[in-house]
Amino acid sequence: MKKVFHFDSQTDLYRADACVVSCFDARFELVTRKFLKKRGIWWADPLKIAGGAKLFASPADESERSFALSQVRTSMRLHRTHRVMLMVHSDCGAYGGLQAFGGNEEREAANHESELRCAEAFLKSNIPTIEVECFYLRFTGVWALDPAQPDRVLDSPATSQD
């Protein structure tokens, strides 16, 4: 092989602050990085897959969910991760985009809240010791799922103060 780029990477082992399960949609890459930094997540084990947390809530195939679960467990084993951050985002192609909800952002938000809750329940039932946080990324920011209010729908973009 021929070296085409030089860069000195850290060689020390690390402890991951979180395993971050998110979509690979590049439109949300910058906000995800900035949000993680603001939350003090310096070392993350990223699990980027179409639909993000959808894989745990409503996978197209059960083998995909099993694979993703094994990746979370590997993050825990190799990097002593104790927290998973589940993310979904607006206009996600894995869900059919905003069009799948008739262009209605409130319907989309309600669906994604339900998906996040299912994904969280799946992870906690399979890895009882894991901490799970859930987030919905929109083009105007990041919304957190409120675990204290399981029946509350995420605020609509027009009314949210977050």
Side-chain angles (χ1 to χ4, degrees):
M1 280 194 246
K2 176 182 164 186
K3 183 175 184 178
V4 296
F5 181 74
H6 178 79
F7 184 83
D8 292 320
S9 295
Q10 177 179 323
T11 58
D12 300 335
L13 293 178
Y14 66 95
R15 182 180 193 279
D17 299 312
C19 178
V20 180
V21 181
S22 63
C23 186
F24 55 58
D25 189 323
R27 298 176 294 175
F28 294 92
E29 182 64 31
L30 182 59
V31 68
T32 299
R33 281 196 322 262
K34 288 183 177 242
F35 175 67
L36 293 176
K37 184 177 179 183
K38 184 170 179 66
R39 298 285 302 234
I41 307 296
W42 302 109
W43 292 102
D45 282 347
L47 180 53
K48 291 182 170 279
I49 193 150
K54 180 184 190 309
L55 195 61
F56 293 123
S58 56
D61 186 276
E62 192 59 37
S63 66
E64 295 174 350
R65 179 159 48 183
S66 295
F67 173 75
L69 183 60
S70 74
Q71 293 298 289
V72 171
R73 286 184 171 134
T74 300
S75 174
M76 293 174 73
R77 181 174 48 83
L78 295 179
H79 302 136
R80 300 184 315 273
T81 307
H82 66 275
R83 173 171 45 172
V84 174
M85 299 175 82
L86 297 174
M87 297 183 177
V88 293
H89 69 84
S90 183
D91 196 33
C92 182
Y95 284 101
L98 184 57
Q99 307 87 300
F101 305 96
N104 184 315
E105 291 179 352
E106 290 179 18
R107 280 185 51 217
E108 180 187 47
N111 177 78
H112 288 344
E113 178 175 5
S114 176
E115 288 283 280
L116 285 167
R117 291 199 189 284
C118 287
E120 178 182 28
F122 173 82
L123 275 177
K124 285 183 174 181
S125 71
N126 283 276
I127 309 173
T129 59
I130 199 79
E131 294 174 30
V132 181
E133 297 177 60
C134 300
F135 302 96
Y136 178 37
L137 284 63
R138 292 182 164 152
F139 293 101
T140 57
V142 179
W143 278 253
L145 194 67
D146 186 353
Q149 299 177 341
D151 297 327
R152 188 179 78 80
V153 176
L154 295 166
D155 295 331
S156 69
T159 61
S160 175
Q161 299 299 311
D162 291 320

